[in-house]
Amino acid sequence: MEEDQIEKFVAEYLKKKGFKQAEHAFQEERQHQQSKNTSSSSITTNSLSDPDLAKHILAFSELENGPARYHDGYSKFRSWTYSSLDLYKHELLRVLYPVFIHCFMDLVEKGHVQEARTFFNSFREDHEMMHSRDLQKLEGVLSPSHLGEMEFAHSLRQNKVKIKICQYSYDLLLEYLHKTKLTTMLGVINEHINFQVSPGQPSSISDDTEVVTLTGSSQDEATQINQKEIHWGLLEDSLEERLEKGGGLLSDSEKAEGETKEGELDENKKRSGEGAKQGMSIKKVKKDKGASATGKAGRPEANTVPMAPRVKPELTLPVVHTDVEKSILEDLRNRVQLSSVSLPSVSFYTFINTHNGLNCSSISHDGSLVAGGFSDSSLKIWDMAKLGQEPVGPVLQGENGTTSSEHVLGSRGGKRYTLFQGHSGPVYSATFSPLGDFLLSSSADSTIRLWSTKLNANLVCYKGHNYPVWDVQFSPVGHYFASSSHDRTARIWSMDRILPLRIMAGHLSDVDCVQWHVNCNYIATGSSDKTVRLWDVQSGECVRIFIGHRSMVLSLAMSPDGRYMASGDEDGTIMMWDLSTGRFITPLIGHTSCVWTLAFSGEGSLLASGSADCTVKLWDVASSTKVPKTEENKGGNTNRLRSLKTLPTKSTPVYALRFSRRNLLFAAGALSKSV
Amino acid sequence: MSVVPKEAIEVVAQSIGITNLSSDVVLVLAPDVEYRVREIMQEAIKCMRHSRRTSLTSDDVDNALKLRNVEPIYGFTSGDSLRFKRAAGHKDLFYIDDKDVEFKNVIEAPLTEAPLDTSVTAHWLAIEGVQPAVPENAPVEALAMPSDGKKSEYTEDRLLIDIKLPVKHFLSRELQLYYEKIIELTRNKSGSVLFKQALVSLATDSGLHPLVPYFTYFIADEVTRNLNNFPLLFAWMRVVRSLLQNPHIHIEPYLHQLMPSVMTCLVAKRLGNRSSDNHWELRNFTANLVASICKRYGHVYHNLQPRITRTLLHAFLDPTKALSQHFGAIQGLAALGPNVVRLLILPNLEPYLQLLAPEMLLEKQKNEMKRLEAWRVYGALLFAAGQCIYDQLKMFRSLLFPPTRAIWKINKKVAITMRKKRKASTDNLMQQPPHKKMATEGTVGVIPMNSMQTDRQGATGGYSTAVGGSNVGLSSMSRQLPTENMSGREVGGRVVKASSVLSQAWKEDMDAGRLLASLFEFFGESLYSFTPKPELSFFL
């Protein structure tokens, strides 16, 4: 009798799977056997009627019963997870999300679109908070062909999710799945989840972001990339260093003697001591030792800034004019020392009457020039130094082929700007060169244009990107610039060449923002794929992948010592990253809407962030980075408020922030009445 | 199964001329349409983010379509986000309110004003981390975040800024009406029952706070303009009192505006223009008002009471000032408490009485009015001094009724001091007999006086429980006597031993005695045998 049943199941299975020939063969053989059976005593039957096997086959055929299995299986699994022990609950909850999306995709793949939709809608709320963006993407997937087309789904199917889980949770999970015979779930888990079982206690909840991130690239790849060595130190022979040396304008030969005049420069007291030690010796060993190693060793020092190792520039750097150098040094000497107790002054430039057309804003290093990029393809520059002065001279207008610039005088006098016209699409980004004599703008017409603020004319149009260029940034030394685009690449350019020098490809979605490292050897890019990557400018390789954001990355900033990076996302979360390890240090939570802009103060002690929630927030970098991660988790003070001050504006979202060399903070934004 | 219903697909197909679309095609198309729409919206959201906005506009969708090399949909461009209206009777149905515009009207309409050109303004968002109270910055209320560590700093700022902040201030229509009504009542019908009700409302209603600056400003203005309109002044002072009484109003920031007008009503030279105006009453009323202000806000503004007393003392000590001003000043000081009287009035009593004496005498001052005023002032002084001495004696009530021996002792001392003073004072000889008489009479002399004090306290509605006349007061006193006598004796005994512990108390006691004596010196019999209740002195 049992045997009959088994045979029936096998036949059914073959039928369902469409193995027609096999079915035929099976039928034939079966009949054949039956006829045999009647004559000969069945010896084989005993071995065949193994109850275990029967069960397995039974279960297997049930599995094929249809899409309802997914729904039932998942809901059972879910309710078990929610009622599991508190201690292990959060670990088990992590498993739910990948199971959920893969169940959904399985259903879609098999063509049960209707069921897939019902399944999706009945459980989506569980994951809404953490993964709303992914869910929105997946929601639209309605046919197997979409799955193939959509890169996000594709990458999810290709790669296994890695989940850290403790031994006991793992045992619990397996035991449950076996006991309840939720083979569907078991199948999904086996197929798409890679458990990293760790002995001992379950990990704490705060690790969450690190543990479950469904990135397109496999986590292994990321860790492998993050093994690469990077030299995050400052450039040797930088202006700051020369300032530390005391003389400020000493020639190289003099500098080699390690001449220091301590105490002369009060703003650099703490560094000047190190400068003396530094002299020559460090520089010789730095290359072989590896900067990251030195960095780690130096890290535990609490109250002194660990000496940043120096690196050689990989790019040929432009020569800085002596006069300019003098003025910069003068600024650096007069820099106000900022800390958690001495906060900066903030000067706010408000754009009014923008009619919702302002897309971006940029402020020059000295705060005297403000540029605004508009959706009507225009670019306008205000000279704030001349604000309030009487307009002089008649309207100037220059025509240069397809581009033009004109001075527009305000009706009330004095409020004039220079209008740059040349783009043929909304201007999405603008950046001033360090000296303020050039301006770059990027636009939806996929070009980047270089403008001279002295001549008030368009100099070059850089064509290379194929899609809108979201962001463009001048390098800290000028001359070079980086751009990022909807075409998923970031590119490095120099002002004198119309074609890009490097193309950085690797992001899985739009590259939304780009930022130079202070030593000009690296650029960081933030993307809609929720990762931040660090690229080596010389080789064009990706050297770090920072995973942890839960939505599109909108802004980036590098600390002046080159050690840390801050990135802000669409949800209002700001993350601090350690460049050498590729780990995230701490999230800075406080903003309630998009973080449009981030800026480190001149000496790196403060981070300013500007957001769509109409506030400028000041964060204490020192305390944010000093606390080692492990300690933080144990102490349970992860939500410790490191926000020093919130400066609300009057319904003006903050588009741009810039610390001047003297540490005055400039902010810009457009007054919006709708808020 | 897809959000896009298959009917929609059919309709679209028909609109482009495909009438025989098979249902299978529709079923395949519907989900695909949804997927494409979502794809475009995703790109549109990206465009929105890069335009630094948080609300999606039709421009973003157009840009997203351009990204996909699709012709944008024309005709929906607008600078602002679209305004959707809810369709009546449906919960989830919205539409864009797109009115038909008559072409003729558009052509004939005058040219609209050109939109203002974009400009940039600069202001200080923060100076060394502190936000200055400039109109460009967000109102300070938004600053007071509960979780902020520097909360105390904020409250400090707030007090200061509340006054200066030139933010636009909106008064609801109801409040405006209320304000108008109160002003009207005060001006025209200050005697009516309605006005009394209004005063009650002012004293109790919550939510009047937004009106306080208006009231204070208006009162200050009105008082300076209507110094000779007595009923109006009185009405305004009543309004002030009501405002001060209201527990829901935070009036401290406006006190500095209010005080000058209140003080004016107390020490102004002329209040009202007719002789029938009982400005004395107003002064009394205002004096109590000032006292209540000092009592209530003295601890907030430490310099409030000193400033008031300085002003009053100034008025009191200036002989060129009118007697009515002196009266106001004395009343004001008296209302501030017996200590103020003891410290400020009593030391100046002797010279002042010298000044006042000729005014009071019929032969010296021929003007009836002036004489009357002088008597009023005298009455006020008497009242102040009486209150003071009562307070003193109240503290040492036990010493009021010691056996005659103790009294004798005191009086001896008094006599000695008297003798010393005699050299200075020429009137002393005249005053001596009554004093001696009192001394010999001892207990008898003191008790009536005491009863008088309680009586007067009761009359002025002050503190005393012994309301209802001197008899009750006296009897209650005498009932207490036996026990107090015991303690009194004890104290007396100790005093005799000159115990160092109680020497201080003794000294006070001596002061009280001396005070009493010197007051007798000035007021003579009227202080003790009299019945110079203030009420009476008014009708002298």
Side-chain angles (χ1 to χ4, degrees), chain A residues 309-495:
Chain A
R310 302 287 160 176
V311 293
K312 277 211 167 63
E314 286 171 19
L315 298 170
T316 331
L317 296 180
V319 183
V320 185
H321 201 269
T322 339
D323 290 348
V324 175
E325 200 178 286
K326 259 186 195 165
S327 78
I328 292 176
L329 283 171
E330 182 63 32
D331 277 346
L332 292 179
R333 265 190 224 105
N334 289 321
R335 177 182 284 172
V336 182
Q337 201 69 28
L338 295 180
S339 68
S340 53
V341 285
S342 61
L343 297 173
S345 297
V346 188
S347 175
F348 202 97
Y349 296 149
T350 314
F351 289 80
I352 50 178
N353 304 323
T354 56
H355 311 289
N356 260 341
L358 185 72
N359 282 354
C360 65
S361 168
S362 178
I363 305 162
S364 67
H365 279 75
D366 58 356
S368 65
L369 295 174
V370 189
F374 291 81
S375 56
D376 62 359
S377 321
S378 66
L379 187 67
K380 294 170 186 172
I381 298 184
W382 281 263
D383 191 341
M384 300 311 284
K386 287 184 192 149
L387 194 80
Q389 283 177 20
E390 284 302 304
V392 274
V395 178
L396 299 168
Q397 190 155 4
E399 201 83 22
N400 178 17
T402 55
T403 65
S404 72
S405 68
E406 57 180 297
H407 290 283
V408 178
L409 303 180
S411 53
R412 273 170 287 173
K415 283 179 192 165
R416 65 173 188 181
Y417 58 84
T418 315
L419 176 68
F420 288 153
Q421 281 175 320
H423 281 296
S424 58
V427 179
Y428 285 126
S429 173
T431 174
F432 279 100
S433 72
L435 301 177
D437 43 0
F438 296 108
L439 175 72
L440 280 167
S441 62
S442 71
S443 158
D445 63 8
S446 74
T447 63
I448 300 160
R449 282 180 188 267
L450 178 73
W451 309 83
S452 165
T453 54
K454 297 257 158 63
L455 304 171
N456 289 326
N458 186 209
L459 303 177
V460 195
C461 174
Y462 302 94
K463 293 171 183 171
H465 284 291
N466 304 320
Y467 280 106
V469 188
W470 295 135
D471 197 11
V472 62
Q473 285 295 328
F474 254 114
S475 78
V477 293
H479 191 67
Y480 299 99
F481 60 93
S483 63
S484 70
S485 163
H486 178 69
D487 65 12
R488 302 183 184 184
T489 63
R491 300 180 190 214
I492 308 277
W493 311 70
S494 76
M495 273 162 64

Side-chain angles (χ1 to χ4, degrees), chain A residues 29-65:
Chain A
E29 210 168 320
R30 193 175 153 204
Q31 277 168 4
H32 186 70
Q33 214 167 24
Q34 267 177 347
S35 61
K36 246 192 195 171
N37 247 5
T38 47
S39 57
S40 66
S41 61
S42 55
I43 313 156
T44 50
T45 40
N46 280 340
S47 64
L48 264 174
S49 63
D50 181 10
D52 251 7
L53 186 65
K55 260 187 201 163
H56 267 247
I57 294 172
L58 190 82
F60 199 65
S61 74
E62 265 178 58
L63 170 91
E64 295 297 313
N65 270 354

Side-chain angles (χ1 to χ4, degrees), chain A residues 114 133 139-140 142 146 149 344-346 348 350 352-353 356 359 417 468 486 510 512 570 594 645 648 650, chain B residues 1 32 34-36 38 43 45-46 49-50 52 67 79 117-119 121 123 125-126 128-129 131 135:
Chain A
Q114 181 68 62
R133 242 339 165 60
E139 201 180 4
L142 289 166
H146 291 159
E149 206 174 313
S345 297
V346 188
F348 202 97
T350 314
I352 50 178
N353 304 323
N356 260 341
N359 282 354
Y417 58 84
H486 178 69
D510 302 37
D512 294 303
E570 211 181 359
C594 309
K645 190 96 182 173
K650 214 170 170 183
Chain B
M1 71 186 222
D32 200 52
E34 190 192 337
Y35 180 76
R36 300 296 155 196
R38 281 175 186 279
E43 300 302 318
I45 288 170
K46 276 180 195 163
R49 291 291 181 225
H50 285 284
R52 305 275 194 277
L67 269 181
D117 200 5
T118 312
S119 60
T121 59
H123 75 270
L125 181 66
E128 288 174 357
Q131 286 199 285

